[in-house]
Amino acid sequence: MSNPNSLCDEVLSQIRPLIESVVNDVQIRALEDSTLAVIRDRNVAATTLDTLVERAEFSVNMLMPHSHDALPVADAALRGLAARRPGGARVQILAAPEVAADQRLARLGGLTERVEVRLAADVRHAAVVVDGQVALVRSPGVVTAGAEASVIRAPGVVKALYDIMMTAWHRAAPLVKYQQLQECLNGDCGARILQLLSDGCTDEAAARELDMSVRTYRRRVADIMRLLGARSRFQAGVHASSMGLLQP
């Protein structure tokens, strides 16, 4: 089973025409009131993220890729929000599986009771949607070559981004569950069982491949399906792929 397309690539492919129409129709003004604004400086982008997140009233939805600065930048912004109003906006962080082992991610999930972290495959770019009204997308070349980030307030664009993020969110695995799955797959041939399962091997063939009884193999498959929350073997493969648990 092949991995799905990059989440953010899917987002950008769908919202690019909307962004381009905004650029054509609206004169870019100050960051505070423009429908779309391009930020070319990394420090300004980080400061803008801090400001947007700290002003959140209801929700913060964040994509966190595996990059050297994604966690520190998100940490600074979310700590500002937690300090201002610990019981305020609900925060949903959708992170790349490669970040799962970083303890800083778990600490982010413990900032307040309203912060939740999930893992999804192919989160390659950083983005945040605040209160469903404004988005900050960090992906060079989305609007203008050399741009560090783009602040977007065009309702259609923000809604498209938010809807796609939420679709991915509902398919993603909570951080704790993901870590349990990894522990299961790292021991007792778990990863190999999942790969054989996704390849469509019969129980008999897979058991021979792993040098175990069919009964043992089926018990291990049942354990993996339970952890994945899958009702069928096909669904188990889909869930594992969306969580980044299958090797490409």
Side-chain angles (χ1 to χ4, degrees), residues 21-22 37-38 50 64 71 112 134 165 172 190 195 201 221 223 242:
S21 70
V22 171
V38 175
D50 291 347
M64 183 180 295
L71 265 170
T112 75
V134 57
M165 289 171 70
Q195 190 65 55
C201 289
V221 168
D223 290 341
S242 68

Side-chain angles (χ1 to χ4, degrees), residues 49-50 53-54 60 62 71-86 91 93 103-112 115:
L49 175 64
D50 291 347
V53 170
E54 287 183 20
V60 175
M62 184 175 292
L71 265 170
V73 170
D75 181 79
L78 294 176
R79 287 186 183 280
L81 173 64
R84 183 177 69 87
R85 193 171 54 188
V91 179
I93 303 172
Q103 292 300 314
R104 292 176 296 179
L105 185 63
R107 288 197 293 271
L108 278 182
L111 276 177
T112 75
V115 178

Side-chain angles (χ1 to χ4, degrees), residues 7-210:
L7 170 61
C8 206
D9 288 347
E10 178 186 355
V11 171
L12 298 180
S13 69
Q14 295 191 34
I15 70 173
R16 186 183 299 275
L18 294 171
I19 292 176
E20 291 174 349
S21 70
V22 171
V23 174
N24 290 333
D25 297 340
V26 179
Q27 180 180 2
I28 294 176
R29 302 183 298 278
L31 289 178
E32 288 293 329
D33 59 8
S34 62
T35 303
L36 183 144
V38 175
I39 304 173
R40 298 184 181 277
D41 182 86
R42 179 168 299 185
N43 292 330
V44 174
T47 301
T48 302
L49 175 64
D50 291 347
T51 301
L52 291 175
V53 170
E54 287 183 20
R55 291 177 179 174
E57 296 292 334
F58 308 108
S59 63
V60 175
N61 301 88
M62 184 175 292
L63 291 180
M64 183 180 295
H66 181 219
S67 66
H68 73 281
D69 61 348
L71 265 170
V73 170
D75 181 79
L78 294 176
R79 287 186 183 280
L81 173 64
R84 183 177 69 87
R85 193 171 54 188
R90 180 184 183 187
V91 179
Q92 295 176 324
I93 303 172
L94 191 61
E98 295 85 355
V99 190
D102 195 314
Q103 292 300 314
R104 292 176 296 179
L105 185 63
R107 288 197 293 271
L108 278 182
L111 276 177
T112 75
E113 293 181 354
R114 293 178 61 79
V115 178
E116 185 178 357
V117 180
R118 295 189 182 185
L119 283 296
D122 295 319
V123 176
R124 298 176 184 171
H125 304 286
V128 62
V129 175
V130 175
D131 290 339
Q133 297 180 346
V134 57
L136 179 68
V137 179
R138 183 181 179 186
S139 182
V142 172
V143 179
T144 303
E148 181 66 28
S150 300
V151 178
I152 305 168
R153 289 187 172 84
V157 178
V158 176
K159 185 178 186 305
L161 178 58
Y162 175 81
D163 287 348
I164 295 171
M165 289 171 70
M166 290 309 298
T167 297
W169 174 263
H170 290 305
R171 295 174 180 170
L175 178 59
V176 172
K177 181 178 179 180
Y178 182 89
Q179 291 170 334
Q180 291 173 342
L181 280 164
Q182 279 196 316
E183 183 177 349
C184 172
L185 297 178
N186 288 338
D188 196 20
C189 303
R192 184 63 181 142
I193 290 174
L194 184 57
Q195 190 65 55
L196 291 169
L197 187 62
S198 69
D199 290 342
C201 289
T202 65
D203 290 355
E204 291 74 15
R208 285 196 302 270
E209 175 76 19
L210 298 170

